[in-house]
Structures are given as C-alpha cells and as structure tokens.
Amino acid sequence: MRAFITHKRTPYLLLLPSFLAILLVIIYPAMRALSMSFLSYKLTRPNDINFIGFGNYLRALTDPVFWISLRNTVIYVSVSVGMQFILGLFLAIILRKGKRIHKIIQTLMLLPWVIPGILGAFMWRWMLNGNYGIINFTLKNMGLIREYVPWLVNTHLALPSVILVTVWRGMPFFAVTLTAGLHAVPDELIEAARIDGASRIQEFTKIIIPIIMPVIITTTLLRVIWTANYVDLIFLLTEGGPGYSTLVLPLYTYSVARNTLDYGYASTLAILLSALLIGVVILYFRQVKKQELV
C-alpha cells in the first residue's frame, strides 16, 4: 500500500521543481506587478507608498504618450508579424522539396535567428546609418536615391525601418516551422487533387492550408507575443525616437520604470499590455473556432 501511494505521488514530485520555477519566475512577479499597479509607488519617495486604487489606470487613459505607444505597438506588431508570415510561408514552399541546395539555403536562413539580438541591432544600426550606412551607399550607387536617407532619425521612416529589422529577425522562425508543417502534408493528397483537376491555388487553399493550420496558429501567436514584448531591438536602434515615432508600449513601460522610477505606473502599463495580449489570444482562438465550425 505504501509503495502504491509513493508511486501515485511520484509524478507530482517530479513536477514540483518546474512548478516552483514557474511560481518564482512568472506567477509571483505577475502578482507583484498587479498589486503595485494599485499603488503610488515611486523609488524617489520610498516612505510615501499609498494605495490609490485605479488611479494609475485612469492616468494611463488620459496619458497621450500611452495612446501613441499603443498605436505604434498595434502597427508594429500587425505589420511585422504579417510580413514575417507571408515571407516565411513563401520560403517554406520553396524549401519544401528538400534538395541539397535548399538545405544550404535553409541553414543560411537561420542566421538572423541565431545571431544575438544585440549584435543584430548594432549591425542594422550601422547599415541604416544616414551618414555612412552601407544601405545608403548601395542605393546611391545604383541610382535609386540622390542623397543619403536618415532612416532611423526620420519620423516617417524610423518605424518602417524597425519593422524591416524585425521581419529580418523573425522570418526564419516562420520559415522553419512552416517547412516542418508542409512536410506533414501527404503527397498522395496533392497528387489526387491534381488528377481531379484542382488548380495550384485550390491545392494550396483547400488542402495545404487546412492541414498546416495548427502550425500557423501556434507560430503566429508566439510571434505576436514575442514581437509585442520587444524592448532591446527597438531600444538599441532608435530608443523610441525620433520623438515618439517608434515608442512601443513595452519600451514606454521600461522608460517609465528606468527614467522616473515610478514603478506603480510602470506596473500598470505592463498589466495593460498583458491584458491586451490575452485579449488578442482569446479573439484569435474564437475566430479560428468559428472557421472550423463553418
């Protein structure tokens, strides 16, 4: 009997270290941030910590910088993830045949994902430099521009430039995962569809996409969450400037915590970002469920 009880407890004992790690690294900080969002908590006034209820949330609703950063976040995430998916799917279709040259291309394609984020950001910051960047040098020698373009210090070009770098870094993840999903598509189904007279578009939309849809859903959700939480890449490229043109919500949260030491308001911004991401995930799954029922 004792051996049976011990055997039943073994799975829980094995899961205990992982649960404790999640508790310390994720759950406790999240609960701490949630509690701090209801406080007037500034490190500049450590003896003046007061409960203010939803005061920080009301402050966010009337904060113009919050709305600017939210708008930039929506544009940044939607455009960059959408372009990553389209280009990643295109590369996955090309690499699906699995030839030797494709294996080499796939290996080289992983470089943006393997290169450390800090190194990649500094590399692109040099390439996009308005005075001596190699991109300006190349475009001018090709006759596509007359004068050097200040990519990262122009209010209209800074956000597209950051999106370009994000697409470069995130596209390999889509390409590799979608390539693995395409390998799961049975060749017999493709051949049968071609025999029945299906066009390439019908073959793609009616057979391939439904089969790899779980991979698309998982990959897209992960990239949305990761991209929405990017701080280091944008900070190293533009620091949120010029002005507020590339200031996204996680970077604004970091700036408030670092520059003003207002941890109460910074926690509120972090909670609002988390709530928005949870809302996106819920809406995404509901939409997918509706399509499956149809």
Side-chain angles (χ1 to χ4, degrees):
M1 184 65 179
R2 181 177 299 175
F4 177 73
I5 295 175
T6 304
H7 180 71
K8 288 185 65 176
R9 291 178 177 176
T10 299
Y12 299 101
L13 292 175
L14 294 175
L15 289 173
L16 184 60
S18 300
F19 175 76
L20 291 176
I22 293 173
L23 179 65
L24 294 175
V25 177
I26 299 177
I27 298 178
Y28 173 74
M31 294 297 102
R32 178 64 174 166
L34 181 62
S35 63
M36 289 173 60
S37 67
F38 296 105
L39 302 175
S40 175
Y41 193 111
K42 294 184 179 181
L43 292 185
T44 55
R45 295 181 297 179
N47 297 324
D48 189 20
I49 300 175
N50 301 311
F51 177 79
I52 57 173
F54 290 96
N56 285 322
Y57 292 91
L58 295 175
R59 175 184 171 185
L61 295 178
T62 57
D63 182 3
V65 181
F66 166 76
W67 292 107
I68 293 173
S69 64
L70 179 60
R71 181 198 63 191
N72 291 339
T73 303
V74 173
I75 296 173
Y76 170 67
V77 173
S78 58
V79 175
S80 61
V81 174
M83 292 180 65
Q84 289 172 47
F85 170 73
I86 294 172
L87 295 176
L89 182 59
F90 176 74
L91 287 174
I93 294 173
I94 294 176
L95 299 174
R96 182 174 180 266
K97 296 182 180 180
K99 296 181 180 180
R100 180 174 296 180
I101 186 64
H102 292 166
K103 297 289 185 182
I104 297 175
I105 295 174
Q106 186 173 352
T107 302
L108 295 175
M109 186 183 61
L110 285 174
L111 288 178
W113 184 257
V114 175
I115 292 175
I118 296 177
L119 179 60
F122 278 116
M123 180 183 70
W124 275 98
R125 187 171 180 175
W126 168 74
M127 293 171 61
L128 292 169
N129 187 278
N131 296 320
Y132 51 81
I134 191 173
I135 292 179
N136 276 329
F137 177 79
T138 303
L139 293 177
K140 189 172 182 180
N141 285 343
M142 293 175 63
L144 298 177
I145 58 174
R146 294 183 179 180
E147 298 179 355
Y148 279 13
V149 179
W151 301 100
L152 296 177
V153 295
N154 185 295
T155 55
H156 300 292
L157 297 176
L159 185 58
S161 300
V162 171
I163 290 174
L164 171 66
V165 179
T166 305
V167 172
W168 168 82
R169 180 162 176 77
M171 182 181 58
F173 180 73
F174 268 106
V176 171
T177 54
L178 293 178
T179 301
L182 290 174
H183 282 304
V185 179
D187 293 333
E188 294 79 7
L189 287 178
I190 305 296
E191 294 176 0
R194 292 175 180 174
I195 293 173
D196 291 338
S199 64
R200 290 297 179 91
I201 297 177
Q202 290 174 332
E203 171 189 319
F204 183 74
T205 57
K206 301 296 183 180
I207 297 176
I208 296 178
I209 290 297
I211 293 177
I212 67 172
M213 184 57 71
V215 179
I216 293 175
I217 293 172
T218 304
T219 307
T220 303
L221 280 178
L222 287 174
R223 286 307 302 167
V224 166
I225 294 172
W226 293 342
T227 305
N229 285 285
Y230 266 165
V231 173
D232 55 345
L233 183 66
I234 302 177
F235 180 80
L236 293 172
L237 287 173
T238 63
E239 297 186 14
Y244 299 125
S245 58
T246 60
L247 184 67
V248 292
L249 194 51
L251 183 56
Y252 182 42
T253 303
Y254 171 75
S255 300
V256 170
R258 187 190 69 161
N259 298 332
T260 68
L261 300 180
D262 191 346
Y263 279 24
Y265 188 49
S267 300
T268 302
L269 296 174
I271 294 298
L272 290 174
L273 176 61
S274 301
L276 289 172
L277 290 177
I278 292 172
V280 169
V281 171
I282 293 173
L283 291 175
Y284 195 84
F285 274 115
R286 284 185 177 180
Q287 186 65 27
V288 171
K289 191 173 182 181
K290 287 180 181 179
Q291 292 179 356
E292 291 178 350
L293 294 176
V294 172

